[in-house]
Amino acid sequence: MAVTDPAPKSADGPRPDFSPLRALRRLNPHHWSAGLVVRGMAELGIADLLAAGPRTAAEIAAAAGAHPPSLLRFLRVCELHELIAAAGDGRWALTGAGELLRSDVPSLRGFSIAVNAPGMTRPWERVAEVVRTGRPATRAAWGMDHWEYYAAHPEEAASYSQTCASLSVEAAEALVASYDVTGARRIVDVGGSPGTVLARLLAAAPGAHGVVFDLEWAVPFARETLDAHGLSGRSEVLAGDFLREVPAGGDLYVLKNVLCDLTDERAAALLARCAEAVPPGGRLLLLDWEYTDHSTHVHANDVEFMVLTGGRVRRFGEYRGLLTAAGFRDCRRLPFVGQEQAPIVLIECVRAR
């Protein structure tokens, strides 16, 4: 039955024909838990268990080490979110959406766990407070900032690292298609763990040496990636706080999705450290989300940064203003090959002499 809009509110009180049950259907009450359902399915490994074909709830429960009655109830809500589908004879099959939660193929499994884990969801509980005050909520929720939280919770840090890796593969391919790095000799990826981007840049610039510079807890993830690509002899991973210092001596510096996590004050401090490290004539590449006038997922990202770190998504002119103030010149926007319609900006600039 079609659901009609509730009648306008009466001047004398509540809508006379308002039906809470009918109105609740308009809010799709199961949507509030969608992310947590996805996370649960990912952590239980259900997508992996169904990758080879349909299985019964009892078979899935036995393989997952789950309580069979509870597992069956959970599968029903997974079906509601179209992650699995009934395949007949009491069996369940993986859908296209569910495929995205597999661990044995490129997927969004790590992303789905990380963004729905307590480190991100608990601060979101305070979103109204963030909107009122303009201050991020992670410290209020956990007594520490977002990055300190990951240092204290290595399992969530690992999922976050998987998130960064999965989202960086495609971006790295587009980056080397958009920008010629073959002449680079020392590439410094600031805040670059887990090393996915640097690994691709070094493959495109066989004569270059690379550096990933990130926080101490993020260092092992970058080392693992670079070792897996056979790049340990051409790269190094350094730990430190980029608001205090950035490794010097590179001729190409990369900032991918770093400024979006920073307030304007911290973004300016980071770029000042970069300007100190980049030699005159050295280049800096900035790849980040771009704020648009039409609603896209980037606006959800923007509020997520607001809640978690106090950062924000910026327009091209705002990025250029921060770069120019830090001492960079010739800031130019480059086409991001294959991702021209995405809310992403790629900027090259040169360190002023």
Side-chain angles (χ1 to χ4, degrees):
M1 181 176 67
V3 179
T4 59
D5 290 326
K9 184 176 180 180
S10 167
D12 299 324
R15 301 177 180 91
D17 61 346
F18 175 69
S19 166
L21 293 179
R22 189 171 69 239
L24 191 60
R25 288 177 58 188
R26 291 183 60 82
L27 292 179
N28 294 314
H30 63 281
H31 283 185
W32 72 268
S33 61
L36 301 178
V37 171
V38 170
R39 174 186 161 207
M41 181 170 163
E43 291 184 327
L44 287 165
I46 292 173
D48 289 345
L49 296 174
L50 294 177
R55 304 176 76 169
T56 66
E59 291 170 336
I60 298 170
H67 179 239
S70 299
L71 188 279
L72 177 58
R73 293 164 67 184
F74 183 68
L75 291 178
R76 289 294 183 186
V77 76
C78 290
E79 180 187 28
L80 180 65
H81 291 292
E82 300 181 349
L83 300 168
I84 61 174
D89 299 326
R91 297 176 304 151
W92 298 92
L94 202 58
T95 64
E99 288 275 350
L100 300 176
L101 301 181
R102 290 174 58 180
S103 66
D104 59 336
V105 295
S107 72
L108 293 178
R109 181 181 183 275
F111 173 86
S112 300
I113 293 174
V115 299
N116 294 296
M120 290 197 182
T121 58
R122 289 290 300 278
W124 265 98
E125 295 172 4
R126 300 170 179 262
V127 63
E129 177 184 337
V130 172
V131 173
R132 291 190 185 103
T133 66
R135 294 191 296 270
T138 301
R139 188 170 294 280
W142 294 111
M144 60 188 80
D145 73 22
H146 185 62
W147 310 115
E148 292 168 340
Y149 178 88
Y150 281 136
H153 297 82
E155 289 187 2
E156 287 193 44
S159 293
Y160 177 79
S161 177
Q162 292 173 19
T163 297
C164 294
S166 63
L167 295 178
S168 294
V169 171
E170 190 174 13
E173 289 296 332
L175 184 57
V176 297
S178 306
Y179 193 79
D180 182 8
V181 297
T182 55
R185 290 293 172 262
R186 182 175 169 85
I187 304 172
V188 181
D189 193 349
V190 181
S193 186
T196 309
V197 172
L198 182 63
R200 185 64 186 90
L201 294 176
L202 290 178
H209 183 86
V211 179
V212 168
F213 184 65
D214 216 321
L215 295 170
E216 184 71 43
W217 64 262
V219 162
F221 303 116
R223 285 203 178 111
E224 181 180 358
T225 298
L226 294 168
D227 288 348
H229 284 80
L231 293 168
S232 56
R234 294 178 53 206
S235 64
E236 56 187 313
V237 184
L238 303 178
D241 180 356
F242 57 47
L243 296 179
R244 297 179 180 273
E245 63 175 347
V246 169
D251 57 341
L252 177 62
Y253 285 72
V254 179
L255 289 173
K256 177 191 171 295
N257 295 124
V258 173
L259 293 195
C260 59
D261 277 319
L262 303 176
T263 63
D264 286 346
E265 181 181 16
R266 290 183 169 228
L270 166 58
L271 292 175
R273 302 292 82 76
C274 289
E276 293 169 359
V278 180
R283 296 168 294 162
L284 184 145
L285 275 182
L286 185 148
L287 178 64
D288 220 316
W289 299 113
E290 182 177 27
Y291 206 84
T292 61
D293 290 327
H294 57 282
S295 295
T296 69
H297 67 84
V298 81
H299 294 87
N301 294 354
D302 181 53
V303 175
E304 180 175 281
F305 303 140
M306 180 175 72
V307 168
L308 298 177
T309 66
R312 68 187 183 91
V313 179
R314 298 171 174 87
R315 299 179 186 273
F316 168 70
E318 293 174 305
Y319 288 119
R320 182 175 56 190
L322 286 167
L323 289 163
T324 301
F328 292 94
R329 60 175 173 79
D330 299 337
C331 298
R332 63 187 183 111
R333 180 180 190 139
L334 303 175
F336 198 43
V337 176
Q339 302 290 330
E340 290 85 355
Q341 302 305 312
I344 298 173
V345 63
L346 175 62
I347 302 172
E348 180 205 42
C349 55
V350 180
R351 177 68 173 98
R353 295 185 183 278

PDB file of all heavy atoms in Angstrom, residues 20-38:
ATOM      1  N   PRO A  20       1.784   7.188  13.523  1.00  0.00           N
ATOM      2  CA  PRO A  20       3.196   6.886  13.770  1.00  0.00           C
ATOM      3  C   PRO A  20       3.679   5.658  13.008  1.00  0.00           C
ATOM      4  O   PRO A  20       4.797   5.663  12.480  1.00  0.00           O
ATOM      5  CB  PRO A  20       3.240   6.654  15.285  1.00  0.00           C
ATOM      6  CG  PRO A  20       2.092   7.420  15.828  1.00  0.00           C
ATOM      7  CD  PRO A  20       1.020   7.304  14.780  1.00  0.00           C
ATOM      8  N   LEU A  21       2.886   4.613  12.927  1.00  0.00           N
ATOM      9  CA  LEU A  21       3.319   3.403  12.243  1.00  0.00           C
ATOM     10  C   LEU A  21       3.500   3.651  10.748  1.00  0.00           C
ATOM     11  O   LEU A  21       4.450   3.178  10.125  1.00  0.00           O
ATOM     12  CB  LEU A  21       2.320   2.274  12.472  1.00  0.00           C
ATOM     13  CG  LEU A  21       2.233   1.748  13.911  1.00  0.00           C
ATOM     14  CD1 LEU A  21       1.192   0.653  14.009  1.00  0.00           C
ATOM     15  CD2 LEU A  21       3.589   1.237  14.379  1.00  0.00           C
ATOM     16  N   ARG A  22       2.561   4.412  10.160  1.00  0.00           N
ATOM     17  CA  ARG A  22       2.680   4.713   8.737  1.00  0.00           C
ATOM     18  C   ARG A  22       3.882   5.629   8.478  1.00  0.00           C
ATOM     19  O   ARG A  22       4.641   5.435   7.528  1.00  0.00           O
ATOM     20  CB  ARG A  22       1.389   5.368   8.237  1.00  0.00           C
ATOM     21  CG  ARG A  22       1.352   5.510   6.707  1.00  0.00           C
ATOM     22  CD  ARG A  22      -0.017   5.961   6.222  1.00  0.00           C
ATOM     23  NE  ARG A  22      -0.299   7.324   6.620  1.00  0.00           N
ATOM     24  CZ  ARG A  22      -1.336   7.699   7.384  1.00  0.00           C
ATOM     25  NH1 ARG A  22      -2.186   6.800   7.837  1.00  0.00           N
ATOM     26  NH2 ARG A  22      -1.537   8.964   7.701  1.00  0.00           N
ATOM     27  N   ALA A  23       4.067   6.594   9.360  1.00  0.00           N
ATOM     28  CA  ALA A  23       5.192   7.516   9.191  1.00  0.00           C
ATOM     29  C   ALA A  23       6.522   6.800   9.379  1.00  0.00           C
ATOM     30  O   ALA A  23       7.512   7.108   8.705  1.00  0.00           O
ATOM     31  CB  ALA A  23       5.068   8.662  10.196  1.00  0.00           C
ATOM     32  N   LEU A  24       6.555   5.831  10.298  1.00  0.00           N
ATOM     33  CA  LEU A  24       7.790   5.098  10.548  1.00  0.00           C
ATOM     34  C   LEU A  24       8.258   4.374   9.298  1.00  0.00           C
ATOM     35  O   LEU A  24       9.461   4.272   9.032  1.00  0.00           O
ATOM     36  CB  LEU A  24       7.571   4.097  11.687  1.00  0.00           C
ATOM     37  CG  LEU A  24       8.818   3.417  12.260  1.00  0.00           C
ATOM     38  CD1 LEU A  24       9.775   4.461  12.817  1.00  0.00           C
ATOM     39  CD2 LEU A  24       8.428   2.425  13.338  1.00  0.00           C
ATOM     40  N   ARG A  25       7.314   3.885   8.514  1.00  0.00           N
ATOM     41  CA  ARG A  25       7.673   3.210   7.276  1.00  0.00           C
ATOM     42  C   ARG A  25       8.408   4.151   6.318  1.00  0.00           C
ATOM     43  O   ARG A  25       9.264   3.717   5.547  1.00  0.00           O
ATOM     44  CB  ARG A  25       6.423   2.642   6.601  1.00  0.00           C
ATOM     45  CG  ARG A  25       5.830   1.429   7.320  1.00  0.00           C
ATOM     46  CD  ARG A  25       4.557   0.964   6.647  1.00  0.00           C
ATOM     47  NE  ARG A  25       4.788   0.623   5.247  1.00  0.00           N
ATOM     48  CZ  ARG A  25       3.807   0.347   4.401  1.00  0.00           C
ATOM     49  NH1 ARG A  25       2.527   0.394   4.800  1.00  0.00           N
ATOM     50  NH2 ARG A  25       4.078   0.027   3.146  1.00  0.00           N
ATOM     51  N   ARG A  26       8.090   5.419   6.386  1.00  0.00           N
ATOM     52  CA  ARG A  26       8.766   6.386   5.515  1.00  0.00           C
ATOM     53  C   ARG A  26      10.232   6.570   5.918  1.00  0.00           C
ATOM     54  O   ARG A  26      11.069   6.931   5.100  1.00  0.00           O
ATOM     55  CB  ARG A  26       8.051   7.745   5.553  1.00  0.00           C
ATOM     56  CG  ARG A  26       6.684   7.725   4.885  1.00  0.00           C
ATOM     57  CD  ARG A  26       6.061   9.123   4.891  1.00  0.00           C
ATOM     58  NE  ARG A  26       6.892  10.087   4.174  1.00  0.00           N
ATOM     59  CZ  ARG A  26       6.911  10.246   2.862  1.00  0.00           C
ATOM     60  NH1 ARG A  26       6.147   9.491   2.093  1.00  0.00           N
ATOM     61  NH2 ARG A  26       7.682  11.149   2.304  1.00  0.00           N
ATOM     62  N   LEU A  27      10.529   6.354   7.184  1.00  0.00           N
ATOM     63  CA  LEU A  27      11.898   6.519   7.660  1.00  0.00           C
ATOM     64  C   LEU A  27      12.741   5.265   7.463  1.00  0.00           C
ATOM     65  O   LEU A  27      13.931   5.269   7.770  1.00  0.00           O
ATOM     66  CB  LEU A  27      11.889   6.892   9.152  1.00  0.00           C
ATOM     67  CG  LEU A  27      11.335   8.279   9.492  1.00  0.00           C
ATOM     68  CD1 LEU A  27      11.369   8.497  10.994  1.00  0.00           C
ATOM     69  CD2 LEU A  27      12.142   9.371   8.792  1.00  0.00           C
ATOM     70  N   ASN A  28      12.128   4.178   6.969  1.00  0.00           N
ATOM     71  CA  ASN A  28      12.861   2.929   6.762  1.00  0.00           C
ATOM     72  C   ASN A  28      13.703   2.591   7.994  1.00  0.00           C
ATOM     73  O   ASN A  28      14.940   2.693   7.965  1.00  0.00           O
ATOM     74  CB  ASN A  28      13.771   3.034   5.530  1.00  0.00           C
ATOM     75  CG  ASN A  28      12.978   3.169   4.250  1.00  0.00           C
ATOM     76  OD1 ASN A  28      12.014   2.444   4.032  1.00  0.00           O
ATOM     77  ND2 ASN A  28      13.366   4.117   3.409  1.00  0.00           N
ATOM     78  N   PRO A  29      13.063   2.201   9.097  1.00  0.00           N
ATOM     79  CA  PRO A  29      13.772   2.065  10.369  1.00  0.00           C
ATOM     80  C   PRO A  29      14.929   1.073  10.340  1.00  0.00           C
ATOM     81  O   PRO A  29      15.839   1.179  11.164  1.00  0.00           O
ATOM     82  CB  PRO A  29      12.674   1.606  11.340  1.00  0.00           C
ATOM     83  CG  PRO A  29      11.599   1.041  10.474  1.00  0.00           C
ATOM     84  CD  PRO A  29      11.628   1.849   9.218  1.00  0.00           C
ATOM     85  N   HIS A  30      14.922   0.130   9.392  1.00  0.00           N
ATOM     86  CA  HIS A  30      16.043  -0.805   9.350  1.00  0.00           C
ATOM     87  C   HIS A  30      17.320  -0.159   8.809  1.00  0.00           C
ATOM     88  O   HIS A  30      18.411  -0.715   8.955  1.00  0.00           O
ATOM     89  CB  HIS A  30      15.690  -2.036   8.509  1.00  0.00           C
ATOM     90  CG  HIS A  30      15.407  -1.736   7.070  1.00  0.00           C
ATOM     91  ND1 HIS A  30      14.203  -1.235   6.641  1.00  0.00           N
ATOM     92  CD2 HIS A  30      16.183  -1.881   5.957  1.00  0.00           C
ATOM     93  CE1 HIS A  30      14.236  -1.083   5.323  1.00  0.00           C
ATOM     94  NE2 HIS A  30      15.422  -1.465   4.890  1.00  0.00           N
ATOM     95  N   HIS A  31      17.216   1.011   8.221  1.00  0.00           N
ATOM     96  CA  HIS A  31      18.397   1.644   7.645  1.00  0.00           C
ATOM     97  C   HIS A  31      19.393   2.095   8.703  1.00  0.00           C
ATOM     98  O   HIS A  31      20.592   2.176   8.430  1.00  0.00           O
ATOM     99  CB  HIS A  31      17.992   2.838   6.772  1.00  0.00           C
ATOM    100  CG  HIS A  31      17.458   2.427   5.429  1.00  0.00           C
ATOM    101  ND1 HIS A  31      17.121   3.330   4.449  1.00  0.00           N
ATOM    102  CD2 HIS A  31      17.210   1.207   4.900  1.00  0.00           C
ATOM    103  CE1 HIS A  31      16.671   2.678   3.382  1.00  0.00           C
ATOM    104  NE2 HIS A  31      16.714   1.395   3.647  1.00  0.00           N
ATOM    105  N   TRP A  32      18.910   2.396   9.896  1.00  0.00           N
ATOM    106  CA  TRP A  32      19.840   2.918  10.910  1.00  0.00           C
ATOM    107  C   TRP A  32      20.924   1.893  11.239  1.00  0.00           C
ATOM    108  O   TRP A  32      22.054   2.250  11.581  1.00  0.00           O
ATOM    109  CB  TRP A  32      19.101   3.319  12.181  1.00  0.00           C
ATOM    110  CG  TRP A  32      18.605   2.135  12.990  1.00  0.00           C
ATOM    111  CD1 TRP A  32      17.396   1.533  12.911  1.00  0.00           C
ATOM    112  CD2 TRP A  32      19.336   1.405  13.984  1.00  0.00           C
ATOM    113  NE1 TRP A  32      17.311   0.482  13.784  1.00  0.00           N
ATOM    114  CE2 TRP A  32      18.488   0.379  14.469  1.00  0.00           C
ATOM    115  CE3 TRP A  32      20.612   1.517  14.529  1.00  0.00           C
ATOM    116  CZ2 TRP A  32      18.868  -0.538  15.453  1.00  0.00           C
ATOM    117  CZ3 TRP A  32      21.003   0.609  15.504  1.00  0.00           C
ATOM    118  CH2 TRP A  32      20.137  -0.406  15.961  1.00  0.00           C
ATOM    119  N   SER A  33      20.602   0.618  11.122  1.00  0.00           N
ATOM    120  CA  SER A  33      21.566  -0.416  11.489  1.00  0.00           C
ATOM    121  C   SER A  33      22.292  -1.009  10.291  1.00  0.00           C
ATOM    122  O   SER A  33      23.059  -1.966  10.441  1.00  0.00           O
ATOM    123  CB  SER A  33      20.856  -1.547  12.240  1.00  0.00           C
ATOM    124  OG  SER A  33      19.854  -2.145  11.419  1.00  0.00           O
ATOM    125  N   ALA A  34      22.073  -0.452   9.102  1.00  0.00           N
ATOM    126  CA  ALA A  34      22.631  -1.064   7.890  1.00  0.00           C
ATOM    127  C   ALA A  34      24.140  -1.220   7.975  1.00  0.00           C
ATOM    128  O   ALA A  34      24.688  -2.287   7.657  1.00  0.00           O
ATOM    129  CB  ALA A  34      22.251  -0.226   6.670  1.00  0.00           C
ATOM    130  N   GLY A  35      24.840  -0.179   8.381  1.00  0.00           N
ATOM    131  CA  GLY A  35      26.295  -0.259   8.456  1.00  0.00           C
ATOM    132  C   GLY A  35      26.771  -1.312   9.436  1.00  0.00           C
ATOM    133  O   GLY A  35      27.761  -2.015   9.195  1.00  0.00           O
ATOM    134  N   LEU A  36      26.057  -1.444  10.560  1.00  0.00           N
ATOM    135  CA  LEU A  36      26.448  -2.427  11.557  1.00  0.00           C
ATOM    136  C   LEU A  36      26.181  -3.848  11.067  1.00  0.00           C
ATOM    137  O   LEU A  36      26.928  -4.783  11.397  1.00  0.00           O
ATOM    138  CB  LEU A  36      25.707  -2.160  12.868  1.00  0.00           C
ATOM    139  CG  LEU A  36      25.956  -0.778  13.477  1.00  0.00           C
ATOM    140  CD1 LEU A  36      25.139  -0.594  14.740  1.00  0.00           C
ATOM    141  CD2 LEU A  36      27.436  -0.576  13.762  1.00  0.00           C
ATOM    142  N   VAL A  37      25.126  -4.022  10.273  1.00  0.00           N
ATOM    143  CA  VAL A  37      24.864  -5.329   9.671  1.00  0.00           C
ATOM    144  C   VAL A  37      25.985  -5.686   8.702  1.00  0.00           C
ATOM    145  O   VAL A  37      26.496  -6.815   8.694  1.00  0.00           O
ATOM    146  CB  VAL A  37      23.498  -5.332   8.956  1.00  0.00           C
ATOM    147  CG1 VAL A  37      23.316  -6.609   8.134  1.00  0.00           C
ATOM    148  CG2 VAL A  37      22.366  -5.188   9.970  1.00  0.00           C
ATOM    149  N   VAL A  38      26.381  -4.740   7.871  1.00  0.00           N
ATOM    150  CA  VAL A  38      27.467  -4.969   6.926  1.00  0.00           C
ATOM    151  C   VAL A  38      28.744  -5.340   7.675  1.00  0.00           C
ATOM    152  O   VAL A  38      29.457  -6.285   7.308  1.00  0.00           O
ATOM    153  CB  VAL A  38      27.687  -3.718   6.052  1.00  0.00           C
ATOM    154  CG1 VAL A  38      28.962  -3.850   5.225  1.00  0.00           C
ATOM    155  CG2 VAL A  38      26.495  -3.508   5.132  1.00  0.00           C
TER     156      VAL A  38
END
